[in-house]
Amino acid sequence: MAGSVKAVVTSGIGMTSDRTRARMVERLRAAGITDETVLSAMLAVPRHAFVDEAIASRAYDDSALPIGWGQTISAPYIVARMIALLRAGKKLGKVLEVGTGCGYQAAVLARVAREVYSVERIGQLLEKTRARLWPLKIRNLRLKHTDGSHGLPEAAPYDGIIVAAAATRVPEALLAQLAPGGRLVIPVGVDEQQLMVVEKREEGFVESVIEAVRFVPLLGDTA
Ligand code: SAH
């Protein structure tokens, strides 16, 4: 008896979140996200499963949410925007994410790239995220506890590097780990931050400033 009640409740939550997630994707479309590959990845990844149960009902709001250790999961719009900029309409091979956090963006990336490496400086946060990601069995995602401001040289070069925390300036080490034609998407600045894209072209690095953003700081060293 208890089992059947549980089953009903579980499927009820599932249906609600599917619909809520579909509405989130419609809002992203209305906000100007046109990359269908990104939109379908965000339709597929259960964002509510990446935050604590107490705030899961707010998982599909277009806002950043706390994930502990003073960190936040980025709002859906910014995740979509950054991954669309990283893709630039092309297929992604190997990608590095700096700042795994709760693992949501990493899970979305794993649906649009062949291979994803994601690094996080806070060890306990990463352990919690590992446990959360385990049942999802995402085979093309590797996590590592390390300071990502130096990138992850052992798996370089990358077709894309996406940084989920704001740097004071574009880290040289990250540029050095881009493959030819590769793109770095990174928030830069202290009080006023700008989302930037740096593309490695034959003639050199080409920078574009996209829009004002608000991120937690990219810190050196591990914790
Ligand atoms: N992509 C994440 C967003 C997390 S917020 C998500 O979907 O939840 C940014 C994360 O970057 C935080 O977890 C913070 O601890 C981490 N971070 C900050 N500086 C870092 C660094 N130098 N190396 C690795 N991770 C870092």
Side-chain angles (χ1 to χ4, degrees):
M1 195 57 200
S4 67
V5 170
K6 188 162 182 259
V8 170
V9 171
T10 310
S11 76
I13 291 169
M15 282 176 65
T16 310
S17 60
D18 283 355
R19 275 204 305 270
T20 320
R21 192 151 67 247
R23 280 200 297 271
M24 174 191 81
V25 168
E26 286 320 308
R27 283 198 306 274
L28 293 174
R29 229 185 263 284
I33 305 294
T34 55
D35 186 327
E36 291 298 330
T37 304
V38 173
L39 292 170
S40 51
M42 291 187 64
L43 187 61
V45 177
R47 187 170 156 95
H48 63 278
F50 290 82
V51 295
D52 289 340
E53 244 173 85
I55 55 168
S57 63
R58 288 158 59 201
Y60 297 102
D61 294 358
D62 200 38
S63 61
L65 292 172
I67 56 172
W69 291 273
Q71 306 303 318
T72 53
I73 175 175
S74 306
Y77 171 79
I78 196 72
V79 172
R81 183 85 167 113
M82 288 176 77
I83 300 180
L85 288 165
L86 194 72
R87 271 179 35 84
K90 291 179 218 131
K91 275 206 172 128
L92 283 170
K94 203 194 299 172
V95 166
L96 172 66
E97 177 190 38
V98 176
T100 314
C102 70
Y104 173 70
Q105 180 165 272
V108 177
L109 282 169
R111 289 194 157 255
V112 308
R114 195 185 64 233
E115 205 180 348
V116 179
Y117 290 81
S118 181
V119 300
E120 170 58 52
R121 65 176 286 276
I122 303 175
Q124 288 179 338
L125 174 55
L126 188 63
E127 284 321 305
K128 187 174 173 185
T129 296
R130 265 189 213 285
R132 180 186 284 126
L133 285 169
W134 180 250
L136 301 181
K137 298 272 176 277
I138 307 175
R139 312 237 176 248
N140 60 335
L141 172 62
R142 301 269 171 285
L143 303 176
K144 187 163 183 184
H145 178 214
T146 190
D147 170 10
S149 53
H150 307 294
L152 186 66
E154 67 230 48
Y158 304 97
D159 302 304
I161 301 179
I162 187 163
V163 183
T168 47
R169 55 192 182 83
V170 177
E172 290 289 330
L174 298 186
L175 295 179
Q177 289 170 35
L178 283 178
R183 296 156 75 85
L184 167 65
V185 178
I186 183 169
V188 179
V190 183
D191 294 327
E192 312 247 301
Q193 302 170 4
Q194 294 289 340
L195 185 60
M196 293 188 55
V197 176
V198 188
E199 193 175 340
K200 183 175 180 171
R201 300 219 190 121
E202 245 168 66
E203 66 271 24
F205 292 103
V206 180
E207 287 188 5
S208 338
V209 176
I210 308 298
E211 63 194 38
V213 286
R214 190 82 220 135
F215 277 84
V216 294
L218 182 73
L219 301 173
D221 230 338
T222 51

